[in-house]
Amino acid sequence: MPATTCFSPEIETMERSDLDSLIDERVRYTVQYAAEHSPFYRRWFKENRIQPGEIRVHEDLLSLPLISGKTIREHQPPVTKNFEFLSTDWSNIFSIQETSGTSGTPKGFFLTWDDWKRYAEKYARSFVSQGFTQKDRIVVCASYGMNVGANTMTIAAQRIGMGIIPIGKCSFDSRILKNYRPTSIVGSVFKLIHLGRRLRAEGVKPAEIAIDKLVAGGESFAEESRKYLADQWGCPVYNTYGSTEGTMCGECTELAGLHVPEDIVHLDVYDPRMQGFVRDGDCGRGILTTLLPPGGKSGMLLLNYDTEDTTLVISRGRCRCGRTHMRIHTPQREAETAWIFGNALGRVDVEAGVFQPENMEYITGEYEAFIYDGESPDEVVFHISVECMDPDRCDRKLVENQLIGRFLKYKPGLASQYHDGKLKISINFTGPGGLELHNQKGRPKRLIDRRKRA
Ligand SMILES: [Zn+2]
């Protein structure tokens, strides 16, 4: 086993059998806590004829129904008088958070200080697994607000002893990098690509800044765009996945999947089409369950919560980094997946085609894709727009061949429809700022299904 630096070494490198026992003990306590403290769960167990005491081990969670974002919204004002998921007295609540609300009314989340400490523990483990120490100084581009991300990173940084530059956005002046010499930036891949390009345009030289690793989060991305970003900055890029609901996973320096902090959050994978949980290695939706240590208190917990993000378990074995906590594939938002002729098509599949290295001499990496009905009922039109650095000097044929070639290579089902003429793909080239998404507020939607025929 290689020498490992872990934030919580004993728990992060625990043997699988011990880890499973610890998880089962926490499952029992958490289920009991939920039944005793939250009006929602009290009724939920009763309505589903489940005795909380029957849930003994994590496998027993599979027999419980799923909870979704919709369930939470249906049990909070204005639908119900009280927040029925709330699982402690208001006087114990340290902060009230909300999800962004991109998919409906924001969901209220209640955190005790103990909850914050557990959230920060997850980020601290992730940062340390990416090589962060007290020598590091990190620029946080994630926004400080009703979601937990930026604040959790800040508390985690304090636990590690590293410095924080809480800018809350990526559009900052390059003097921040030159004067304060941060060693890392956490932001979304696209924001970091923009920043890198702006620094180059301003003539900032790599030697003038001290960035030696980047942390990407906020949305999933293709390996191709990660590679482009890593080359642009000349340093590794580590992926993280977090949400206000309580998931927080991160890649270690081995880049072998995202470690799930299994003692704090339990993750199962569910296939809605099969209506069942899947085996390791099979793809499905991430279903999470908050885990509390015996005696722990929580403002709000989730049992069998459907994240609506798709993922798969890569391994529960020991990672080369020494950690034993399971590793998962980068979760992708199911809302960013469309189905064409029975084939799943993700936003990241398009992105992989856009970021082909040869293309990046001509295009910025910004893209958006639309699916339309074709002229005849069995025809589908897939329209991809890419932003050129200079539309007059773009080798359009090359970009088109690279993009469509990469896209169809891993989509054999769509490739045959394309060659039969039923799937038409058209590439549109715009100048800087010419994409529709530049006029949108918030997180850009890059894959939009505009078909009227189902
Ligand atoms: Zn690892």
Side-chain angles (χ1 to χ4, degrees), residues 252 259 319 321:
C252 66
H259 283 283
C319 176
C321 74

CSV table of all heavy atoms in Angstrom, one decimal, residues 252 259 319 321, ligand 1:
chain,number,residue,atom,x,y,z
A,252,CYS,N,-9.2,11.7,-6.5
A,252,CYS,CA,-7.9,11.8,-5.9
A,252,CYS,C,-6.9,12.0,-7.0
A,252,CYS,O,-7.2,12.0,-8.2
A,252,CYS,CB,-7.6,10.5,-5.0
A,252,CYS,SG,-7.4,9.0,-6.1
A,259,HIS,N,-14.1,9.4,-5.3
A,259,HIS,CA,-14.3,8.7,-4.0
A,259,HIS,C,-15.6,9.2,-3.3
A,259,HIS,O,-15.8,10.4,-3.2
A,259,HIS,CB,-13.1,8.9,-3.1
A,259,HIS,CG,-11.9,8.1,-3.4
A,259,HIS,ND1,-11.8,6.8,-3.1
A,259,HIS,CD2,-10.8,8.4,-4.0
A,259,HIS,CE1,-10.7,6.3,-3.5
A,259,HIS,NE2,-10.0,7.3,-4.1
A,319,CYS,N,-8.1,1.8,-3.7
A,319,CYS,CA,-7.6,2.6,-4.8
A,319,CYS,C,-6.1,2.6,-4.7
A,319,CYS,O,-5.5,2.4,-3.6
A,319,CYS,CB,-8.2,4.0,-4.7
A,319,CYS,SG,-7.6,5.3,-5.8
A,321,CYS,N,-4.4,5.1,-4.4
A,321,CYS,CA,-4.0,6.1,-3.4
A,321,CYS,C,-4.1,5.6,-1.9
A,321,CYS,O,-3.7,6.2,-1.0
A,321,CYS,CB,-5.0,7.3,-3.5
A,321,CYS,SG,-6.6,7.0,-2.9
B,1,ZN,ZN,-7.9,7.2,-4.8
